[in-house]
């Protein structure tokens, strides 16, 4: 099952995809799928980065007893620089690196990995998105704190020229900080919008403290696998404000700039602190050897890997994954089983058109190949403190985390009812139906109902059964299925608070 997608840049250990200098060397290099090889989009076609007003660098400041920031932090503001004097700086959280953690070289600030508790708009992809942002009704006027109002006004001002804002942001970043450019993917088509959109999404939710903190902490932890360091955050903040001030010039003033600086400082510090805390208890990433590759259909494979060290996760969660063929390109997949005693992890992967990672995993990965895994994430997990029934809707490879949830309930010895609707466009796409039916034969509390619908709107079938008002609902699959499924479940009386799925806003690609 595909989960939120993100593109990272390397951390200096991945090396080239070929040769012997990398952290692994694939046995073979697959040919790019049609449309997969894209022209590098760094500065081509973008505005000149030297235009617009220059914003002084936002620098991390060491806390008492912490190490001073490295040279990458950027030049200090010059005397008399009024903007620098009024801009508060992000603090650097220094945390000792555990001896067991792998050493990592610098990597880009990759803010696009969305966590489970706050919305993130997806970037345009070369293939159908697994999920996309659900727009909220537009409010008649900005509301909230003074800073939030100024942020919202800025967002409204740049909305018609969002593409230009994005292009200019990257032009600034790569011109002012060229040392960061090699750390991003060579082809920027999949990266292009994610970093900026993550920043803007976080800023737009600055008044939602609890949800925003969970969102940003997960981002900070997840970005450890990229080698992101505190010194990278000021560079991004400087270019963010420089781009916004250019394209929101009609409303931009000192108060607006100060509001954005305060907002960005809050965002970056939460991420820095979360990464520092996580560094004390977990590695930045895991190496995982492919031990089996089961091709279920011409375009769907079940890939099982063995991590190089214990990998803790919960049924229903997902992880980020990088292959040796496409260094610095990360995609997310849900775990297809509950934690196993042998420590193995399985993923259901569907090869999609122009999908770099998915095609490599389905058509080229073989036992012995080595992948790299990020930390687990996601909140679509079972609440074992209740005895409510589980109503599970899995579409396509979305059956993977649903299967994991069923196994989780079984391992806890619970007898709560579990109803699974397994949807697909054709019989051929019910690639894991035999597994689900075997589970049904083993567990009398489990019911599995395959639903074949050429339009993949099978949640409508749920209305024919029930009642479901005493059930917790779980949805996993394509974006259309999740949206229609949520509507169907609410129509039959399930409260929104009892409907669980990986946030539609944070799901980006179907297995690219």
């Amino acid at each position: 099952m595909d989960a939120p997608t993100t593109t990272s840049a390397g951390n200096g250990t991945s090396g080239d995809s070929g040769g012997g200098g990398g952290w692994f060397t694939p046995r073979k290099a697959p040919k790019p799928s049609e449309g997969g090889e894209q022209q590098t989009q760094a500065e081509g076609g973008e505005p000149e980065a030297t235009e617009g007003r220059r914003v002084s660098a936002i620098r991390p400041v060491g806390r008492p007893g912490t190490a001073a920031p490295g040279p990458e932090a950027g030049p200090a503001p010059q005397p008399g620089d009024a903007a620098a004097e009024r801009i508060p700086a992000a603090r650097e959280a220094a945390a000792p690196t555990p001896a067991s953690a792998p050493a990592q070289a610098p990597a880009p600030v990759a803010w696009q990995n969305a966590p489970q508790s706050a919305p993130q708009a997806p970037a345009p992809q070369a293939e159908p998105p697994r999920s996309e942002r659900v727009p909220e009704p537009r409010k008649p006027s900005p509301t909230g704190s003074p800073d939030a109002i100024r942020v919202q006004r800025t967002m409204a001002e740049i909305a018609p020229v969002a593409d230009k804002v994005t292009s200019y942001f990257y032009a600034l970043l790569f011109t002012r900080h060229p040392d960061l450019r090699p750390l991003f993917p060579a082809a920027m088509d999949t990266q292009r919008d994610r970093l900026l959109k993550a920043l803007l999404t976080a800023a737009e939710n600055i008044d939602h403290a609890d949800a925003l903190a969970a969102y940003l902490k997960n981002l900070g932890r997840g970005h450890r696998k990229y080698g992101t360091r505190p010194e990278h955050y000021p560079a991004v903040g400087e270019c963010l404000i420089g781009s916004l001030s250019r394209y929101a010039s009609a409303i931009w003033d000192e108060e607006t700039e100060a509001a954005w600086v305060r907002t960005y400082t809050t965002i970056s510090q939460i991420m820095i602190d979360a990464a520092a805390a996580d560094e004390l208890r977990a590695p930045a990433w895991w190496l995982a050897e492919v031990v089996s590759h089961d091709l279920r259909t011409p375009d769907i494979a079940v890939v099982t890997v063995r991590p190089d060290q214990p990998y803790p996760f919960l049924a229903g969660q997902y992880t980020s994954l990088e292959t040796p063929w496409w260094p610095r390109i990360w995609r997310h997949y849900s775990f297809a089983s509950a934690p196993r005693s042998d420590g193995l992890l399985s993923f259901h992967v569907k090869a999609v058109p122009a999908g770099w990672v998915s095609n490599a995993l389905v058509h080229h990965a073989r036992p012995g190949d080595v992948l790299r895994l990020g930390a687990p994430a996601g909140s679509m997990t079972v609440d074992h403190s209740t005895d409510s029934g589980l109503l599970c809707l899995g579409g396509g490879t979305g059956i993977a985390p649903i299967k994991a949830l069923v196994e989780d309930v079984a391992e806890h010895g619970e007898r709560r009812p579990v109803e699974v609707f397994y949807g697909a466009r054709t019989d051929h796409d019910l690639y894991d139906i035999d597994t689900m039916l075997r589970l049904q034969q083993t567990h009398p509390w489990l019911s599995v109902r395959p639903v074949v619908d050429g339009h993949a709107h099978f949640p409508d079938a749920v209305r024919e059964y029930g009642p479901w008002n005493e059930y917790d609902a779980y949805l996993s699959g394509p974006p259309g299925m999740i949206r229609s499924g949520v509507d169907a479940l609410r129509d039959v009386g399930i409260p929104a608070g009892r409907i669980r799925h990986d946030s539609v806003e944070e799901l980006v690609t179907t297995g690219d």
Side-chain angles (χ1 to χ4, degrees), residues 58-63 66-74 76 89-94 229-234 272:
I58 303 174
R59 299 178 296 113
V61 176
R63 291 174 176 157
T66 63
E72 298 85 348
R91 297 165 294 153
E92 176 181 2
R229 299 196 306 266
E231 305 94 277
H232 295 139
Y233 289 83
I272 290 170

Side-chain angles (χ1 to χ4, degrees), residues 134-149:
V134 176
E136 298 179 357
R138 184 173 295 277
K139 298 178 181 179
S141 61
T143 60
S145 66
D147 281 358
I149 290 174

Side-chain angles (χ1 to χ4, degrees), residues 96-103 279:
T97 302
S100 59
E279 189 175 7

